[in-house]
Amino acid sequence: MESFTIEPTHISENVVQESSRPNTANLVLNVPEPPSIREKLSLSIKEAILPRGNKSFSLLRWTISALRGLFPVLQWGRQYDFKSFRGDLMAGVTLASLGIPQSIGYANLAKLDPQYGLYTSVVPPLVYAVMGSSRELAIGPVAVVSLLLSSMVQKVVDPTVDPIAYTKLVFTVTLFAGIFQASFGLFRLGFLVDFLSHAAIVGFMAGAAIVIGTQQLKGLLGITHFTNNTDVVSVTKSVWLAVHQPWHPNNFLIGCSFLIFILIARFMARRNKKLFWLTAIAPLLSVILSTLLVFVTRADKHGVKIIQHVNGGLNPNSAKQIQLTGPYLGECAKIGLICAVIALTEAIAVGRSFASIKGYQLDGNKEMMAMGFMNIAGSISSCYVATGSFSRTAVNFSAGCKTTVSNIVMSITVIIALQLLTRFLYYTPVAILASIILSALPGLIDIKEVCNIWQVDKMDFLACSGAFLGVLFGSVEIGLLAAVVISFAKVLILSLLPHIEILGRIQGTDIFCSMRQYPVASGTPCLLLIRIDSFFLCFMNANFIRGRIISLIKEKYETAKATEKIQSVVIDMSNVMNIDTSGITALGEIHGELVSLRIQLAIANPAWEVINKMKLARIVHKIGATWIFLTVGEAVEACLGDRKDNCFAC
């Protein structure tokens, strides 16, 4: 390697003083080795179970710490008082008044018998109450997950042909969903949930809301023969054919009347916060009044469809119904993974939004573990996939809940309803369940956020549109696939074509920034500062980065004046967090090109993983250990040396 030296006769007093400056190359190079993948994994598991800051070890202390990590109730339970219980009692009863009719409706959406929706509002909330870290999150069945289950499981087993086998597969899917969720939390794999971006979720939820709404036309119109497909075209055809056949308008009249009643009650509650209870009580009142109406008028004899028998009693054991062998195991695991991701995304988003209002932080990994264990427990107690519901959480929050005890109160209330009230649901019209589900759908469509996404990021809007149109005109799986593919395409484009910025100094400071972003920044004669804006310098972008940097260097080298020829290049790697062998090779090729041009290369602020791999690959040896710096400013000072009238090479 050729090196460039400054003639001693040209060294000024300032340079002599700078030479006494401590060289930070030793600081950068003499760092400990970064943790291995095994160490990171074991640390993640420990942090997921043990509270932070606990470094001393004893079996008793470890057990106590593990229990407190897994069961947050052991921490806040010691300060729990009667005042908090009074708020939770009111919130829990209010929550149950909304949750009972919604649970029955969502079970119908999942193509399960009504009691399974009620079962899902018993066991999962109880488990979450002792394991969850959100104080406001209301647990139970939700519309989107119910749609996911029905749309995907029915492709494996038709619920109208073999309802028992269908129910068994739902329990198996719930078990897999719980296992995946608990694993995400235990191994701190929450980033997997982020594969669905915010924009994709907004589009998916909006599309799912419209699909769910069109599915409710079956109950609202009292249609007997209805398509199993979820896309809008198939549903529209099915409705068109059904309305040209003999049908009973009483179903539509009952459903629409109570839908208007529920929406008016919700509007009044929004106008006056003190009337928050109207939102919760309106669906329950609708069920009671419509059931009485059908019973008194015997409307079921005149074409009004009713839900008929609802099994009562406590949740039966379903462990023996879970199928861990057979031809459908792989399908159940796939559906379980999709349901796990969607359920976690919705629950954590809802939980964090309300936690921010109350001013506390939500532990995402603990939430995943709580969700996982509650669904595992639910799968063996006749429940299907449960998660946090936005509408019920909003009611829980407005009703003044203090802790997760409100979920316990709700579960006890649902148990009482299962024991005493299920026989009175015989005459409940199916149309009222459709109206309850329809009333909850507007909250899933966020037009304001869609407009905001369009203004901020067009690629995000494309992902949002892809998810929306995929769900609407294809299927739930197509919508999810479209969202993930577009989101990955965005990441790939950003990774394949990262920004390579030329840096300049803000006059009078030691701040170096992009000259395109900050035109006031000025370049330095004889010196080129380059920043790589890529998290990972790897096989996908190494050739692009190498070619772009060499192109910039040659362009500056050939166009500069004779007295301002580039003598040194500083590459700022502060944004590069990791590097692979392709990236190492690209750095070596850049260095070789600079050597041929008699230009010195300096590296500034390489990350921990990056400098470790550069040492192992002996790139540091090729560049020179003295040309690795902690900051861009130090690299610039070392390269410039002393300059009076001309530029000197370092």
Side-chain angles (χ1 to χ4, degrees), residues 49-67:
I49 298 175
L50 299 178
R52 292 174 184 173
N54 187 6
K55 297 182 178 180
S56 59
F57 177 83
S58 71
L59 182 59
L60 178 61
R61 184 170 295 178
W62 184 89
T63 304
I64 294 173
S65 297
L67 288 174

Side-chain angles (χ1 to χ4, degrees), residues 71-81 84 129-130 403-405:
F71 303 102
V73 67
L74 297 177
Q75 299 180 38
W76 58 259
R78 291 177 294 179
Q79 288 83 35
Y80 195 73
D81 54 19
S84 298
V130 296
T403 66
T404 53
V405 171

Side-chain angles (χ1 to χ4, degrees), residues 307-329:
I307 64 175
Q308 298 181 355
H309 182 67
V310 179
N311 290 335
L314 295 175
N315 296 37
N317 188 345
S318 58
K320 293 183 179 179
Q321 298 186 53
I322 295 174
Q323 299 181 328
L324 297 178
T325 57
Y328 304 133
L329 187 64

Side-chain angles (χ1 to χ4, degrees), residues 550-604:
I550 291 175
S551 175
L552 285 172
I553 293 168
K554 287 185 175 180
E555 180 184 342
K556 294 289 182 181
Y557 186 83
E558 293 170 358
T559 58
K561 298 177 182 178
T563 57
E564 295 183 355
K565 286 288 185 181
I566 295 175
Q567 304 292 336
S568 303
V569 172
V570 177
I571 298 181
D572 178 10
M573 298 187 68
S574 55
N575 291 335
V576 181
M577 294 295 106
N578 211 331
I579 192 169
D580 68 358
T581 52
S582 298
I584 294 289
T585 302
L587 283 181
E589 291 173 355
I590 292 170
H591 175 256
E593 187 70 28
L594 292 178
V595 168
S596 67
L597 296 173
R598 299 177 62 82
I599 298 173
Q600 178 62 53
L601 173 64
I603 302 292

Side-chain angles (χ1 to χ4, degrees), residues 102-120:
Q102 276 193 352
S103 298
I104 296 171
Y106 292 151
N108 184 54
L109 180 60
K111 292 183 169 55
L112 293 168
D113 292 334
Q115 66 270 14
Y116 291 112
L118 295 173
Y119 293 157
T120 307

Side-chain angles (χ1 to χ4, degrees), residues 517-539:
Q517 185 177 359
Y518 300 98
V520 295
S522 57
T524 305
C526 306
L527 184 61
L528 180 62
L529 307 179
I530 295 174
R531 186 181 69 208
I532 301 173
D533 287 341
S534 176
F535 180 83
F536 193 9
L537 178 50
C538 61
F539 66 95

Side-chain angles (χ1 to χ4, degrees), residues 215-280:
Q215 290 284 310
Q216 298 318 299
L217 292 174
K218 176 184 178 182
L220 203 62
L221 299 175
I223 300 172
T224 303
H225 302 290
F226 200 73
T227 179
N228 284 332
N229 296 328
T230 59
D231 63 283
V232 170
V233 175
S234 299
V235 171
T236 303
K237 286 181 180 178
S238 185
V239 172
W240 179 258
L241 292 173
V243 296
H244 285 80
Q245 303 295 327
W247 64 292
H248 304 282
N250 289 338
N251 291 285
F252 183 74
L253 182 63
I254 292 173
C256 284
S257 299
F258 283 100
L259 175 60
I260 294 170
F261 168 69
I262 294 171
L263 293 177
I264 290 174
R266 183 169 296 173
F267 175 76
M268 292 174 63
R270 287 182 178 176
R271 293 291 298 272
N272 188 348
K273 297 298 182 183
K274 294 181 179 179
L275 299 177
F276 69 88
W277 51 271
L278 281 177
T279 302

